[in-house]
Amino acid sequence: MTPLPGTDASYWMASTPDTDYPGAPEEVSADVAVIGGGMAGLCTAWELVRRGRSVVVLEAGRVAAGVTGHTTAKVSALHTLRYASLRDTQGRRAAAQYATSQQEAVRGIERLAVELGVDCQWERADAYTYATDPGRVGTLRAEATAAADAGLDATFVTETDLPFPVAGAVRVGGQAQFHPRRFLLALAAGIVARGGRVYERSRVTGLHDGSPCRVTTEDGAVVRARHVVVATHYPVFDRALMFARLETTRELVLAATLPAEQAPRGTYITPDEGTRSVRTAPWPDGRRLLIVTGEKFTPGTGDGNEGAPDAASERFRRLADWLRQHFPAAEITHRWAAQDNTSTDGLPYIGPFHPGTRNVYVATGFGGWGMSSGALAGTLLADLICGERPEHAALYDPRRLHPLREAGPLLSQQATVARHFVGDRLRLASADDVAAVAPGTGALVRVGAGRCAVYRAQDGTVHAVSARCTHLGCLVRFNDAEHTWECPCHGSRFAVDGSVLQGPAVRPLEPRQVPGAPGADASETDGADGPEEGGRF
């Protein structure tokens, strides 16, 4: 097969230095413990330290290296097609609150970048939601009207600076784009300069809600705090049952250099064609970096075999074909993927984690718009922790439940999980034995009554791990483009050695010995995907 285009790395990560904050010490105390060092977590920590609270940030990997380090980094209050639906389901007041809070978050990021004195390539850019299908024009006109009624500078247009015609678009002025990791590295340094503490490689595995709360890490560190904020993108604790109210999707990203005169000035997205998103960023030689996103899919649902239509590698190739067709002068440099969670009613969950807590808060469900929503979460959570309750707090409150509006998505999500949990166990394994797993590929291999997730490296080395996700036990599937194991139920992702790349799982897939692998012992292969404790708290 043709090699995938570009370097397998996020441009944001490749163009910034690594961080080296220490791990959490054995005992730590603070007013607030923030779990997660991405946009939402660091913005929350910043807002709290500037209000005089002592704060500890606990990051499982490196700050701004997870979801935020792989975003497309649009900073916008125009969230594809949000306002007409919100107005029709929750009323004009809710739509206005959403627009006002999101637009203030955009302005807040800009103010903070100036305050930090960071060159984060901040650029003002109009935001567009477009369609090429004339049948979508009515929907776009309705969205433009609803967004304008909500207070945004929104209009319906038929002309853009894209290099292809559109049937119509919603244009919202006063939006932006930036380099997210430059911004967040400066923000983390600012938090530490003001007395906050940032700890990396400190994966949280336990949370006791009390007075104080107690947070524990996989290395045995204990953090005691009056309040805890769970800002791990997908919550790593299940007591609020949010896994039943969140849908996880993954999108592929390609970056390519482009002559500056051919670069679109706005930021663009269409819900069509499995989503297509377009924006540009500065490039060192005066060209622009074109960033194209698309091919949305649920993690762990692809075939996993190169050449299959739904395999991640084939999705990358389709996206590359689209990019080259519409921007023929572009030269692809990088490829990566972004992951997002969407709530059952389409609005983020920002506020108290569940009805029974007074001390634990959460920020999740940003639906692909984590830059503005993450900044919004930082201010809103700091307000709530400090005893204030802004008018828009109820709109984002995780304890809300709209049975009529959410029944369909809730039932659909749980049916999908049940189908994978039961149905995947009835399917044949994707390889009969370890010998059938080709170098550079992975497959589920039947071992006795169970399955193992087996990856064979290019040098022939075999990595075998349990096929059961350590979150709630669904069987993982192989992503052939990123060489990862992914859970189709809630989006947990694991490296080929079983280590956790992305939650909600907090424990690795256990290593297994399989027949045909070096050092295998047949006595150790029984129950390959047998019972494991799920990651519930």
Side-chain angles (χ1 to χ4, degrees):
M1 297 293 289
T2 305
L4 294 179
T7 300
D8 183 13
S10 159
Y11 169 71
W12 315 124
M13 297 297 298
S15 59
T16 47
D18 292 335
T19 53
D20 191 26
Y21 290 102
E26 187 174 339
E27 293 280 344
V28 187
S29 296
D31 293 331
V32 185
V34 176
I35 306 173
M39 187 72 176
L42 291 179
C43 284
T44 301
W46 169 266
E47 290 293 333
L48 288 166
V49 296
R50 75 190 307 177
R51 300 183 196 196
R53 298 318 196 259
S54 62
V55 179
V56 166
V57 177
L58 299 164
E59 166 56 42
R62 297 298 189 190
V63 296
V67 172
T68 303
H70 295 78
T71 179
T72 51
K74 294 177 180 177
V75 186
S76 176
L78 178 64
H79 297 169
T80 315
L81 299 171
R82 167 60 55 211
Y83 291 95
S85 172
L86 185 55
R87 178 200 60 195
D88 294 344
T89 57
Q90 298 197 41
R92 294 179 181 274
R93 182 168 177 267
Q97 288 180 339
Y98 189 85
T100 299
S101 58
Q102 293 287 339
Q103 189 61 49
E104 177 53 34
V106 173
R107 290 190 288 262
I109 296 171
E110 184 174 35
R111 289 194 300 267
L112 184 49
V114 172
E115 182 178 347
L116 293 170
V118 56
D119 177 10
C120 60
Q121 299 180 343
W122 181 267
E123 297 178 330
R124 283 287 182 174
D126 292 347
Y128 296 80
T129 297
Y130 75 91
T132 56
D133 178 4
R136 283 273 199 176
V137 167
T139 299
L140 294 172
R141 287 187 181 277
E143 181 68 12
T145 298
D149 289 347
L152 296 180
D153 174 19
T155 56
F156 173 81
V157 299
T158 56
E159 298 292 331
T160 73
D161 64 350
L162 288 170
F164 52 87
V166 301
V170 182
R171 183 204 65 83
V172 172
Q175 308 311 296
Q177 55 191 6
F178 73 150
H179 192 305
R181 200 155 190 271
R182 284 190 183 185
F183 173 79
L184 287 179
L185 294 185
L187 187 57
I191 290 167
V192 172
R194 287 159 178 77
R197 288 161 286 174
V198 175
Y199 298 121
E200 295 183 322
R201 302 296 174 93
S202 300
R203 184 179 298 278
V204 171
T205 56
L207 168 62
H208 173 76
D209 187 351
S211 298
C213 298
R214 188 176 71 252
V215 175
T216 55
T217 73
E218 64 182 354
D219 292 330
V222 178
V223 180
R224 291 178 172 82
R226 183 176 179 184
H227 301 285
V228 173
V229 172
V230 180
T232 54
H233 190 61
Y234 197 118
V236 294
F237 307 109
D238 289 340
R239 61 180 54 162
L241 298 182
M242 282 193 177
F243 63 88
R245 302 171 66 196
L246 290 169
E247 179 182 5
T248 303
T249 56
R250 196 158 181 80
E251 289 183 272
L252 307 183
V253 187
L254 292 173
T257 58
L258 188 72
E261 63 273 15
Q262 297 183 24
R265 295 181 298 277
T267 69
Y268 293 88
I269 189 168
T270 178
D272 300 335
E273 302 181 85
T275 305
R276 291 292 185 264
S277 169
V278 176
R279 63 155 288 198
T280 65
W283 186 253
D285 67 0
R287 292 161 65 89
R288 297 285 291 181
L289 188 70
L290 175 70
I291 300 169
V292 173
T293 308
E295 294 296 319
K296 181 181 292 186
F297 64 99
T298 301
T301 57
D303 183 283
N305 293 313
E306 190 170 7
D310 59 352
S313 59
E314 291 308 303
R315 295 179 186 275
F316 263 122
R317 291 187 177 97
R318 283 199 296 270
L319 190 62
D321 288 344
W322 187 92
L323 186 155
R324 293 177 180 125
Q325 176 187 350
H326 293 92
F327 300 90
E331 299 177 4
I332 296 174
T333 59
H334 298 79
R335 70 177 188 275
W336 68 93
Q339 190 151 311
D340 293 300
N341 304 306
T342 303
S343 70
T344 46
D345 67 359
L347 299 180
Y349 296 129
I350 305 171
F353 198 4
H354 56 82
T357 186
R358 298 178 61 185
N359 301 313
V360 181
Y361 299 83
V362 70
T364 189
F366 298 152
W369 301 100
M371 298 299 95
S372 61
S373 293
L376 184 160
T379 302
L380 177 52
L381 292 176
D383 285 343
L384 294 173
I385 289 170
C386 293
E388 306 170 26
R389 186 171 176 81
E391 184 181 13
H392 59 272
L395 182 69
Y396 297 105
D397 195 322
R399 298 169 297 185
R400 70 185 186 270
L401 185 63
H402 309 294
L404 293 180
R405 290 195 294 272
E406 296 186 56
L410 271 169
L411 292 174
S412 176
Q413 168 70 358
Q414 292 317 296
T416 298
V417 170
R419 185 170 65 250
H420 284 296
F421 190 87
V422 177
D424 286 356
R425 284 164 166 74
L426 302 178
R427 299 177 187 171
L428 292 175
S430 55
D432 294 333
D433 53 39
V434 174
V437 182
T441 69
L444 298 188
V445 176
R446 187 177 296 280
V447 179
R451 296 170 181 81
C452 280
V454 176
Y455 172 76
R456 186 185 295 276
Q458 291 290 355
D459 64 2
T461 303
V462 171
H463 300 271
V465 294
S466 168
R468 285 193 64 192
C469 176
T470 55
H471 176 225
L472 293 179
C474 294
L475 297 186
V476 298
R477 301 297 295 274
F478 187 65
N479 178 322
D480 72 322
E482 301 179 80
H483 287 189
T484 55
W485 296 107
E486 299 177 345
C487 176
C489 292
H490 305 106
S492 295
R493 301 178 63 247
F494 305 86
V496 293
D497 65 358
S499 57
V500 178
L501 297 175
Q502 204 153 0
V506 296
R507 285 187 288 276
L509 301 176
E510 293 186 0
R512 292 287 189 260
Q513 293 290 337
V514 293
D521 181 343
S523 66
E524 298 180 36
T525 63
D526 294 336
D529 62 352
E532 295 176 7
E533 182 182 0
R536 307 184 69 171
F537 297 89

